[in-house]
Amino acid sequence: MLRYIDVLGLDIQDYLPKAATIRRPAPNAPVEKADADGSVAIHVYALAGAGPAFDLEENDPLATIRVPLEYAMQCDSALLVKGDSMAWTIKSGGVVGVIRRNFDFVSGEVYAVRLPYEGLSIKRVIVDAASGEYIIRSDNPDKEKYPDRRLSITEYADIILGRVVWVWQAV
């Protein structure tokens, strides 16, 4: 097999399993190896958009990842992320751990949100108290492609479904 890969001019690294890292979504958060000793399996049953929103929940896992036990205990669900609006914080194909119950809202953090007419997305949510609005922001610096979106807090009080507490990504 290795000979065929060599003859075809392919890189063997493209066919080997990739390592994964895990970290909190805060800037400058330390990056850890995701599948270190003591890691546990987490099943991913839903897909969220980072770009166009998705709304997909499956009975069978979409993926299974391994994370350190301390990270697994911080969340009650994991979402597969598709799209690049949250790059570099979250790459397309990454998985986020989300706490959906009893979380404190902190303006400027990353959340799973259900956007009107779009569905489930991962975005940074900022409160503009002066205007009474949520600012739904993508971390991707291309603001022409991913502009901020403003939603009235009173009209859309229930859009925040949970807080992203960790990001798992293949490296």
Side-chain angles (χ1 to χ4, degrees):
M1 177 73 106
L2 292 176
R3 228 180 318 170
Y4 290 115
I5 290 173
D6 190 44
V7 168
L8 292 173
L10 302 173
D11 186 353
I12 185 74
Q13 297 301 318
D14 293 338
Y15 300 94
L16 296 176
K18 305 264 188 246
T21 61
I22 193 166
R23 64 175 174 72
R24 287 164 182 73
N28 304 316
V31 176
E32 300 177 49
K33 194 173 171 187
D35 57 356
D37 291 340
S39 65
V40 296
I42 290 185
H43 298 297
V44 180
Y45 290 96
L47 178 67
F54 288 94
D55 221 352
L56 171 70
E57 291 191 29
E58 293 287 329
N59 292 329
D60 296 322
L62 297 169
T64 300
I65 62 170
R66 295 194 66 80
V67 302
L69 180 60
E70 69 180 87
Y71 284 87
M73 293 173 51
Q74 294 173 3
C75 69
D76 50 31
S77 62
L79 303 172
L80 177 63
V81 178
K82 290 292 183 187
D84 65 352
S85 78
M86 289 302 290
W88 299 108
T89 306
I90 306 165
K91 299 176 192 171
S92 186
V95 175
V96 294
V98 177
I99 183 165
R100 297 180 299 168
R101 293 183 279 283
N102 302 321
F103 65 90
D104 293 326
F105 177 81
V106 178
S107 181
E109 296 293 325
V110 180
Y111 292 90
V113 296
R114 186 167 310 281
L115 296 175
Y117 311 108
E118 292 183 29
L120 185 59
S121 273
I122 305 299
K123 299 290 180 191
R124 192 167 300 279
V125 180
I126 301 159
V127 171
D128 181 347
S131 67
E133 294 177 318
Y134 290 123
I135 301 170
I136 309 300
R137 179 168 289 161
S138 298
D139 283 358
N140 190 313
D142 185 349
K143 293 306 173 196
E144 193 169 308
K145 186 174 180 182
Y146 301 109
D148 287 353
R149 182 169 177 188
R150 290 179 166 266
L151 299 172
S152 166
I153 291 172
T154 56
E155 190 174 349
Y156 297 105
D158 298 329
I159 67 164
I160 300 172
L161 303 179
R163 185 173 179 188
V164 172
V165 292
W166 51 256
V167 178
W168 176 100
Q169 300 183 118
V171 289

